Amino acid sequence: MCWPLGWCAANGRLYPGTSSYGGSSSTDTTRWLEMCPATQIWNNDLSISLLHSADMRPYNWSYTQFSQFNQDDSLLLASGVFLGPHNSSSGEIAVISLDSFALLSRVRNKPYDVFGCWLTETSLISGNLHRIGDITSCSVLWLNNAFQDVESENVNVVKRLFKIQNLNASTIRTVMVADCSRFDSPDLLLDAGDQAGLPCRVFDLGGDSEEEPPGPGLHTSGSGRVKEGLRRMLDSVLDGHAQLSDCALEAKVAELLAQGHTKPPECSDADTRNKYLIFTTGCLTYSPHQIGIKQILPHQMTTAGPVLGEGRGSDAFFDALDHVIDVHGHIIGMGLSPDNRYLYVNSRAWPPGSVVADPMQPPPIAEEIDLLVFDLKTMREVKRALRAHRAYTPNDECFFIFLDVSRDFVASGAEDRHGYIWDRHYNICLAKLRHEDVVNSVAFSPQEQELLLTASDDATIKAWRSPRTVRVLQAPRPRPRPFFSWFASHRR
């Protein structure tokens, strides 16, 4: 299905500030757009209208940045930046009922660009960051009950999901959940077996090779090997054979210690349909250049069970990742296909052959944005990168550009004052949607994939419909004949 270039737009007002758009897989017609410190819920019928608005400033929110419906569209997760004491900023997640628009709970979320996501219809995932050294930390991912007293957000009903080590100033960000049970849905469009002739890259840290040093999150058993590795490294440093900076020494020691204190991935029944936790991370620099994937087993999908620290020995302090995908560039956006099988990633590539010498000085990033596609069933890159959109901010100012995927199309924002639409079947760019400033976010209607919203720093939201839809809506409709005329004509 190919569309001609050109979409029709209707302007809507957007307050200045970061904005994004969350989606749902069900048939509910309400969708969410958040703007400045207010949360707003919209109806995306033929005439788009505002259903509800809530000011989050009384809760010390600077602005909202992300939202997501739960599976049955009964609850809304809204993520924002929380302004704490002494102007410190952290993240917070609010859960709102779509029946009464009441605020049900608030959950702290650190760093704020973890965003948060739903795991089940009544539980959500948040993050917390703990500093260990100057460039070493650990990220704890928590499972939270959505129904809690708003005034007791500091004593939420929670359970720790995973605790993952971060090296070289990296952190876990942008968490999302892929449901494996939906892999074989009718929406399935691509098959890795059909991509003959296309280069495929596999990134799996589960290999047995001993020639490569284990990466972060990779489990190696035996405290003896860890002690021996530390002894050799320290001997090299003291003897002057190894010249390491303070940052490099800290990262090396933390990596060696984690090898003996990391819990390996749990095995699961091959026939069990589980879920994947997906997030951005890294191992070389603070710039998010890797995608971490961790399987969530059925017994982990409830807040009931062991609390923090129970059932974990001293040799199982961190959790190992199941897969790591390295895109060799700065990740600035991620989105799942409707069947949850394909992961689309906006990335700005590093120069070929670049080496990270200082974790606080990542390589320069390209202005061209590559839209990569990974098959979560095979853990392979299955299509050539989609290209057309651009970004210009440097590493230290780079921000998230949201993308969205429908049954037949992919859409993304860009810093070149346009939104973009591609055809998922043919890998071609179908349309450039013009704004007057950066386009931060795009979203397809869950009911009608030929309706797209774009949100921009030019203080507008635009609703775009395909030319085909416009022709259908504008076509004159025949006037129905009155019933009594039809009845009279048949009596003659």
Side-chain angles (χ1 to χ4, degrees), residues 51 69 97 111 161 181 201 243 283 305 345 395-396 409 412 467 480:
L51 293 180
F69 289 99
S97 167
L161 275 178
S181 65
R201 292 181 288 167
Q243 300 294 328
C283 65
V345 179
N395 261 314
D396 57 347
F409 308 104
S412 174

Side-chain angles (χ1 to χ4, degrees), residues 6 22 32 48 83 97 103 125 134 142 158 161 178 248 250 254 259 264 275 307 323 377 380 395 417-418 458 466:
W32 164 274
I48 298 175
L83 187 61
S97 167
L103 180 60
I125 296 174
D134 289 338
W142 295 89
V158 298
L161 275 178
E250 178 185 322
Q259 290 178 17
K275 296 185 178 182
V307 297
H323 302 277
K377 191 170 185 179
R380 293 177 180 266
N395 261 314
R417 303 181 179 182
H418 289 87
D458 64 11
S466 69

Side-chain angles (χ1 to χ4, degrees), residues 172-245:
I172 286 179
R173 310 173 184 175
T174 322
V175 298
M176 60 177 58
V177 172
D179 188 350
C180 306
S181 65
R182 299 167 62 185
F183 280 2
D184 298 323
S185 70
D187 179 66
L188 191 62
L189 296 176
L190 309 173
D191 193 327
D194 295 336
Q195 304 295 320
L198 293 184
C200 291
R201 292 181 288 167
V202 182
F203 309 92
D204 190 340
L205 294 189
D208 296 324
S209 172
E210 295 183 358
E211 298 180 358
E212 296 183 5
L218 180 63
H219 173 75
T220 56
S221 60
S223 60
R225 292 181 57 188
V226 174
K227 293 178 181 179
E228 180 64 20
L230 284 171
R231 186 186 65 79
R232 290 180 180 179
M233 186 197 68
L234 292 175
D235 287 345
S236 297
V237 172
L238 293 175
D239 293 341
H241 299 303
Q243 300 294 328
L244 297 177
S245 64

